[in-house]
């Protein structure tokens, strides 16, 4: 088959079977690339691209599932999959740009100029968003390509013209401006800190809410925390206070979007389902509410100044992410089922209660104790990895790892110890990103308080006793305005649930109160003491 001939391509599109994703993707890639190289008449070229859009979107999404669930290192077997997906997005964007350039001379598609402009912005944006989906750093030139596509639409006075788009789930239409804002919103949503499911919702919601945002050249008397974008640059939105003033600088305004998000919350309270609000059939109320709450400030208000400023740091940080490894790091021994009659005292229990930023009393500390801990961990296969510390604040760390190591998940519980620290702390992975050279960067949010390992088990309604499992207690931290909490295995939390805690040779019952953090493999929650019976 001659893929350079539009008529044959249209015929083939009728016979494609998307179920065979790999073959279909290879066929589409060859077709788009061949047409781009052959440059057929603009109207015929456009007809093929439009006919292929839905099957392209489906196939690209299916291909991306191979790497979207976990951050994709450059030396992974699936790296070639990412390359193929990105190449197809790029070739489609270039194809629409080529059609627009050629038709500027032939004028056979004057009534399609707005559509060509919107498609250029959309597909240039899809190339960039694919790197977010793979949790890879965005290559140089990607943002510049998106800006250039939007700038061309502005110069042609087409940026506000809406055109039909069946792939836009809610509006079924989109303007070049809305396509551009959609990409900007995704970057504001902390894409490197999102799971595969959350990011798919964010992609959809960015299109859903883009019409409620504006871009303006009016910059006078704007707060430095307001967002702006310089479409002559190679980056997305940044606080205006960090951007040099230039003729190509635009101010982003999401204040109307903030009102829309508030209206969605009000509808949730009335019992309206997310699907009825254009959020998607696959979105439960609780999950939608949590994600929207995290998007409310960056999308609707402005950049949030850090609660605690970051400072550049150097040195190393020890980190372990396996559940048993976290327990060993904290307690110095592997978790075992407790024996009440032979409970051994733990020196950590004699350490004075710790509030974040204060030093605990010295006990089992010093270089010798740390070295013994490392040797024991290595023998058990629970040794920590060593990460480079880039910067830190009271709330957490930004770290980097140059070699392949333990695979990490978003929101996973980890144990960390800075080079100058005596004790391991608990942390949560807040974001992950690979660079093209294989270096991984991560953000670690610290759970305040010096943890101690305890044994925990749910209390059965029929009096049955389940085996204990490893858990952790964190003391109150007045400096962080946080009360005492429990860190339990994932999805243990149910409000009002009673669990049994064994520590220091004693057993007591606690009633779970509020969920503070739900991570990939843990729940952090507040609790109340359960009155003893009898």
């Amino acid at each position: 088959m001659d893929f350079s001939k539009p008529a044959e391509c249209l015929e083939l599109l009728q016979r494609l079977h998307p179920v065979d994703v790999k073959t279909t993707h290879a066929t589409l890639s060859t077709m788009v690339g061949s047409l781009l190289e052959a440059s057929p008449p603009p109207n015929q070229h456009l007809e093929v691209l439009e006919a292929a859009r839905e099957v392209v979107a489906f196939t690209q999404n299916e291909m991306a599932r191979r790497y979207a669930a976990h951050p994709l290192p450059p030396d992974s077997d699936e790296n070639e999959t990412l390359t193929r997906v990105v190449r197809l997005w790029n070739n489609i964007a270039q194809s629409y740009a080529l059609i627009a350039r050629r038709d500027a001379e032939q004028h056979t598609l004057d009534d399609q100029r707005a559509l060509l402009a919107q498609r250029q912005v959309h597909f240039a944006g899809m190339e960039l968003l694919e790197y977010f989906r793979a949790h890879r750093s965005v290559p140089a030139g990607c943002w510049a390509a998106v800006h250039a596509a939007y700038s061309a639409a502005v110069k042609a006075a087409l940026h506000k013209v809406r055109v039909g788009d069946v792939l836009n789930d809610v509006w079924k239409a989109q303007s070049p401006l809305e396509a551009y804002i959609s990409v900007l919103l995704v970057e504001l949503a902390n894409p490197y800190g999102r799971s595969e499911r959350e990011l798919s919702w964010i992609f959809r919601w960015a299109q859903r809410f883009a019409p409620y945002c504006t871009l303006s050249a009016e910059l006078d008397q704007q707060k430095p925390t307001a967002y702006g974008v310089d479409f002559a640059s190679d980056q997305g939105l940044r606080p205006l206070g960090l951007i040099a003033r230039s003729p190509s600088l635009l101010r982003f305004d999401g204040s109307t979007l903030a009102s829309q998000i508030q209206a969605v919350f009000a509808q949730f309270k009335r019992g309206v389902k997310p699907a009825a609000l254009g959020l998607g059939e696959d979105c439960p109320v609780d999950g939608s509410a949590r994600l929207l709450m995290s998007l409310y400030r960056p999308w609707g208000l402005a950049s949030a100044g850090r609660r605690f400023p970051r400072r550049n740091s150097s040195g190393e940080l020890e980190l372990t992410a396996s559940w048993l490894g976290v327990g060993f790091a904290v307690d110095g021994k592997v978790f075992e089922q407790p024996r009440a009659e032979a409970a051994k005292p733990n020196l950590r229990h004699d350490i004075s209660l710790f509030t974040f930023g204060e030093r605990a009393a010295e006990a089992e500390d010093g270089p010798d104790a740390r070295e013994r801990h490392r040797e024991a961990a290595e023998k058990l296969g629970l040794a920590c990895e060593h990460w480079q510390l880039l910067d830190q604040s009271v709330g957490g760390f930004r770290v980097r790892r140059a070699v392949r190591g333990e695979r990490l998940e978003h929101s996973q519980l980890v144990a960390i110890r800075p080079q100058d620290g005596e004790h391991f702390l608990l942390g949560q992975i807040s974001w992950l990103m690979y660079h093209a050279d294989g270096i991984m960067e991560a953000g670690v949010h610290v759970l305040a308080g010096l943890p101690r390992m305890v044994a925990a088990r749910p209390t059965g309604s029929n009096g049955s006793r389940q085996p204990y499992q490893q858990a952790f207690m964190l003391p109150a931290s007045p400096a962080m305005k946080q009360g005492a909490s429990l860190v339990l295995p994932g999805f243990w939390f149910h409000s009002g649930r009673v669990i049994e805690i064994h520590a220091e040779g004693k057993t007591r019952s606690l009633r779970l109160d509020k969920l503070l953090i739900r991570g990939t493999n843990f729940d952090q929650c507040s609790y109340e003491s359960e009155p003893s019976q009898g």
Side-chain angles (χ1 to χ4, degrees), residues 27-43:
T27 300
L28 291 169
S29 298
T30 302
M31 178 187 300
V32 171
S34 298
L35 288 172
L36 179 59
E37 184 177 352
S39 187
N43 59 334

Side-chain angles (χ1 to χ4, degrees), residues 75-134:
D75 58 352
S76 168
D77 293 339
E78 293 298 342
N79 191 61
E80 180 59 28
T81 304
L82 172 63
T83 300
R84 292 173 182 171
V85 170
V86 167
R87 184 185 301 123
L88 182 52
W89 289 135
N90 180 267
N91 283 345
I92 294 175
Q94 289 190 46
S95 297
Y96 280 103
L98 174 64
I99 294 169
R101 289 196 303 271
R102 290 195 64 199
D103 197 65
E105 303 170 357
Q106 301 177 17
H107 299 287
T108 60
L109 295 172
D110 282 348
D111 60 337
Q112 301 291 332
R113 290 171 61 229
L115 182 143
L116 291 171
Q118 184 270 339
R119 300 296 196 255
Q120 289 178 68
V121 177
H122 172 77
F123 284 107
M126 287 306 300
E127 178 182 356
L128 187 148
L129 297 187
E130 207 60 52
Y131 288 101
F132 290 156
R133 180 147 54 177

Side-chain angles (χ1 to χ4, degrees), residues 231-294:
F231 60 79
S233 70
D234 192 21
Q235 62 182 17
L237 290 169
R238 297 291 183 272
L240 283 172
L242 303 178
I243 309 176
R245 297 302 170 95
S246 73
S248 53
L249 180 60
L250 298 173
R251 175 177 59 86
F252 171 85
D253 186 352
S255 56
T256 303
L257 173 52
S259 300
Q260 283 294 316
I261 293 177
Q262 290 175 347
V264 170
F265 286 132
Q267 294 283 57
F268 283 164
K269 291 180 179 179
R270 297 189 184 98
V272 180
K273 301 297 183 182
L277 300 173
L279 299 180
E281 296 285 348
D282 59 337
C283 300
V285 174
D286 290 348
S288 298
R290 282 195 299 269
L291 184 55
L292 271 178
M293 182 62 71
S294 72

Side-chain angles (χ1 to χ4, degrees), residues 190-248:
N190 183 27
Y192 295 120
R194 303 298 182 179
S195 67
E196 178 184 10
R197 186 175 73 158
E198 288 178 330
L199 202 52
S200 70
W201 294 356
I202 288 169
F203 284 1
R204 182 193 309 150
W205 295 357
Q207 292 188 334
R208 160 75 169 80
F209 291 112
Y212 301 105
C213 304
T214 61
L215 293 172
S216 170
E218 181 60 50
L219 303 175
D220 293 342
Q221 298 181 342
Q222 291 302 314
K223 296 180 179 179
T225 55
Y227 284 113
V229 60
D230 186 343
F231 60 79
S233 70
D234 192 21
Q235 62 182 17
L237 290 169
R238 297 291 183 272
L240 283 172
L242 303 178
I243 309 176
R245 297 302 170 95
S246 73
S248 53

Side-chain angles (χ1 to χ4, degrees), residues 11 26 92 100 107 159 182 187 256 312 326 368 471 518 527:
E11 182 182 349
I92 294 175
H107 299 287
H159 58 298
S182 295
E187 190 200 26
T256 303
N312 292 331
V326 170
D368 291 342
R518 169 147 285 168
Y527 62 89

